[in-house]
Amino acid sequence: MTLRTIVSYPDPVLAATAERVEVFDEELRQLADDMAETMYAAPGVGLAANQVGVLKRIIVVDVTDDQTGLLKLVNPEIAWTSETLADHEEGCLSLKGLYEHVKRPDEVIVKAQSVTGEPIEIKAEGLLAVCLQHEIDHLNGIVFIDHLSRLKKDRACTKLKKLRRREHED
Ligand code: GNR
Ligand code: NI
């Protein structure tokens, strides 16, 4: 397994739409394993292929503390969302150090395929539901600050620049 480099916002690959996976081969499984290793090393609770510069519809997610809940999902789609929204503070490995509240449906059903092409269906709530929506957004070229109002997004970008400036100073 190999650690991959995580790209930073506003890299154009984060604004691009990832392509559906049609071939379920060893290269796909290698990529998914590398993504899981990269997510755990970061550390993070999810990672989308765009974030390692690959425009394929693959995400990995694990919201457990003990690395027992790894999901490797290919071609994931949101099949159903609850009417009820929940507010959650989100972060992103491509916008490191920035945390903002985002409102999303609090329950989702996600349909996907495994790395061998088997169908998977997941009903999720709480952090897992947030994370699945955050990762599927990445595959569609959307980052979490895109859900904020223009004013809040501008302020978030300013905050991010300050965080990065500070990081380069010390
Ligand atoms: O590690 C991550 N934490 C997180 C916290 C709240 C909501 C979403 C996330 S996903 C993020 C990892 C990441 O950037 N995935 O794309
Ligand atoms: Ni992210």
Side-chain angles (χ1 to χ4, degrees):
M1 290 208 276
T2 316
L3 283 180
R4 307 256 181 149
T5 306
I6 298 175
V7 303
S8 292
Y9 180 84
D11 190 300
V13 79
L14 295 173
T17 305
E19 300 270 352
R20 277 185 67 83
V21 172
E22 306 289 354
V23 182
F24 294 80
D25 58 3
E26 199 47 47
E27 188 190 324
L28 173 75
R29 288 182 277 280
Q30 185 61 247
L31 172 61
D33 287 346
D34 288 355
M35 285 172 60
E37 191 186 12
T38 305
M39 169 184 75
Y40 287 131
V45 294
L47 195 69
N50 303 48
Q51 292 179 281
V52 294
V54 178
L55 288 173
K56 288 186 186 169
R57 303 190 78 84
I58 306 162
I59 65 172
V60 294
V61 173
D62 188 349
V63 298
T64 67
D65 295 327
D66 53 0
Q67 307 193 353
T68 54
L70 178 61
L71 296 170
K72 296 186 268 192
L73 303 180
V74 180
N75 300 324
E77 286 174 21
I78 299 193
W80 172 84
T81 58
S82 61
E83 302 272 318
T84 329
L85 305 180
D87 185 287
H88 205 282
E89 190 170 65
E90 297 194 21
C92 183
L93 295 169
S94 298
L95 296 89
K96 252 186 157 214
L98 184 73
Y99 299 91
E100 300 291 342
H101 287 268
V102 179
K103 264 201 194 82
R104 300 181 186 269
D106 70 345
E107 285 181 90
V108 294
I109 293 175
V110 170
K111 289 185 179 175
Q113 286 168 284
S114 71
V115 291
T116 53
E118 303 302 317
I120 300 177
E121 187 173 312
I122 298 160
K123 183 159 193 211
E125 56 178 25
L127 180 59
L128 182 58
V130 172
C131 204
L132 287 167
Q133 292 175 81
H134 176 118
E135 302 315 333
I136 293 169
D137 270 355
H138 275 304
L139 302 180
N140 295 324
I142 295 165
V143 293
F144 75 103
I145 60 170
D146 293 333
H147 290 285
L148 306 176
S149 67
R150 180 83 243 177
L151 178 65
K152 283 186 178 166
K153 184 177 173 178
D154 287 347
R155 284 179 177 156
C157 287
T158 305
K159 248 192 256 178
L160 187 63
K161 281 179 195 142
K162 276 187 187 150
L163 284 167
R164 286 175 179 168
R165 217 178 300 147
R166 255 182 264 153
E167 210 179 348
H168 286 292
E169 277 163 15
D170 49 49

